[in-house]
Amino acid sequence: MRSLFNTADWNAAATDLFEREFSTVVGEDLPSILPDTFDIKELLAGGQTTCRLPGSDRVLEASSSRITDSDDRTLGYTLIFRDITDSRQNARRAEVLSRVLRHNIRNRVDVATAYLRQLSDDPGPDTADKIATTVDGELSALRDLGGTAREIESVLQANKRAGDRSVEDLIRHAIEEVQHAQVVDDRHECAGDVSSVPVVIDTPPVETRANGEILIPVIRELVSDAVEHGGSAPEPRVSVRVKESSDTEGVDQWWIDVADSGAGISDHEVEVFEDAEEQPLQHGKGLGLWLVWWGVDRLGGEVSFDTDSGTTVTVELPGSLLSYD
């Protein structure tokens, strides 16, 4: 007699999801096919359950329905698995954006309001000029925050891949968008004004298939943060280096390091991003590093921080996005 748990059908989506071909599962006992993270009894009891694929960050929602005959006798079950990883990630991102925006808007509006109220106490021209400068700064910061939020939306909607483009060209393009950053040769100082921060690029002659609409904002935010917090003149220096690791079949993975000589990113900031989510009482300073985190994730990579000496942020990307001239 055929067991109710024997697999009778297995569609193409199941093949992709569980990485098992139909020919290897048909007739097999269901518990031997599904990962151990699935509770078969709970699954067949009805309703919906969620579980995580072993060795993966993919989350599945599973549901079942009975197949019966005319006498309501159980002949089998239909199981439906839905990958809800992306929808969960989108929900978490929306929550982070909401919290960061609320936190920053509330704080900056409070500061601007407090300064504006001072006008009634001291309406003199000197005070008015100081207040106008402060309020303008707070409003500018809010405009920048809104711009970053819009750019995050664009990054998350962009295709992962695009046409091949020089990695060095992408890096230079990103640095050009950073105020006070100036690309220099490793042996020379800035030729610009004293406020310029030298940025050294060290990359092999390689091209990448990574979409510049994602990678350029990621590098720009990292360089901008390094320039802003990279120490006091005349010592500040930022480097952007690209290195790759290869095996016998080609490039396995590659890294972009953005390093500065400053005091280092705070432990609080690192904890926020290593947790990959905002807690109600734990906020990053803005959205820039979230753009980095989510942009790199969109490319299938990871971000790590080293704060032992200055700050080095490492972006690890899959080798499939790299090609040589």
Side-chain angles (χ1 to χ4, degrees):
M1 179 178 177
R2 177 183 291 271
S3 167
L4 295 179
F5 292 149
N6 284 351
T7 305
D9 196 10
W10 185 268
N11 67 9
T15 297
D16 293 338
L17 188 61
F18 296 105
E19 299 181 345
R20 294 284 301 273
E21 294 293 337
F22 172 77
S23 59
T24 68
V25 299
V26 63
E28 294 294 317
D29 196 44
L30 184 62
S32 69
I33 299 172
L34 296 181
D36 294 338
T37 49
F38 286 88
D39 186 327
I40 302 298
K41 290 184 178 180
E42 181 182 0
L43 179 58
L44 298 183
Q48 292 183 336
T49 61
T50 58
C51 56
R52 188 179 298 273
L53 286 176
S56 168
D57 61 354
R58 309 307 293 178
V59 179
L60 305 183
E61 181 181 78
S63 61
S64 67
S65 59
R66 283 196 312 138
I67 302 173
T68 61
D69 61 14
S70 57
D71 295 322
D72 199 36
R73 289 176 297 191
T74 300
L75 301 178
Y77 295 88
T78 297
L79 305 182
I80 298 175
F81 299 94
R82 188 164 64 94
D83 189 337
I84 60 172
T85 309
D86 290 342
S87 61
R88 281 198 167 191
Q89 286 180 339
N90 289 337
R92 285 199 297 268
R93 288 166 180 163
E95 184 178 3
V96 168
L97 283 170
S98 176
R99 286 178 175 170
V100 173
L101 288 171
R102 289 201 313 266
H103 175 79
N104 281 272
I105 290 173
R106 180 177 63 249
N107 286 354
R108 294 193 179 279
V109 169
D110 285 348
V111 170
T113 301
Y115 271 88
L116 288 173
R117 285 173 177 166
Q118 292 181 20
L119 283 175
S120 60
D121 299 329
D122 184 4
D126 292 340
T127 301
D129 288 344
K130 178 182 177 181
I131 290 173
T133 300
T134 301
V135 171
D136 182 66
E138 297 298 323
L139 294 179
S140 294
L142 288 177
R143 284 194 297 270
D144 292 343
L145 189 68
T148 304
R150 287 192 297 272
E151 190 165 37
I152 286 175
E153 183 179 10
S154 298
V155 163
L156 294 177
Q157 291 177 350
N159 292 326
K160 176 180 177 179
R161 295 171 180 263
D164 287 0
R165 186 172 174 184
S166 164
V167 172
E168 182 173 350
D169 286 348
L170 286 173
I171 292 174
R172 286 182 178 274
H173 187 146
I175 294 172
E176 287 173 359
E177 298 181 4
V178 179
Q179 188 177 14
H180 301 311
Q182 181 181 349
V183 176
V184 298
D185 183 275
D186 200 16
R187 298 180 299 275
H188 296 83
E189 299 299 325
C190 280
D193 61 68
V194 294
S195 65
S196 296
V197 174
V199 182
V200 178
I201 300 176
D202 180 9
T203 176
V206 294
E207 294 187 342
T208 181
R209 303 177 183 90
N211 193 340
E213 293 181 11
I214 302 175
L215 195 55
I216 287 175
V218 164
I219 297 172
R220 184 201 65 224
E221 288 297 328
L222 291 177
V223 172
S224 178
D225 196 63
V227 166
E228 181 180 356
H229 304 291
S232 303
E235 296 299 330
R237 197 169 188 85
V238 176
S239 64
V240 182
R241 304 186 188 279
V242 177
K243 54 187 178 180
E244 71 276 357
S245 172
S246 61
D247 54 27
T248 56
E249 298 180 355
V251 175
D252 180 47
Q253 54 193 351
W254 56 296
W255 297 268
I256 300 175
D257 287 341
V258 179
D260 65 64
S261 55
I265 189 172
S266 70
D267 291 339
H268 167 74
E269 290 284 303
V270 173
E271 289 172 2
V272 168
F273 296 102
E274 287 183 342
D275 289 342
E277 61 183 26
E278 285 267 336
Q279 302 298 334
L281 298 178
Q282 185 177 18
H283 298 274
K285 293 180 180 178
L287 291 175
L289 285 180
W290 283 112
L291 185 155
V292 171
W293 192 273
W294 291 332
V296 173
D297 181 71
R298 182 80 180 91
L299 293 172
E302 296 181 353
V303 182
S304 59
F305 301 87
D306 182 351
T307 58
D308 288 341
S309 178
T311 297
T312 299
V313 182
T314 298
V315 173
E316 180 181 335
L317 296 168
S320 59
L321 294 177
L322 202 64
S323 62
Y324 286 82
D325 294 336

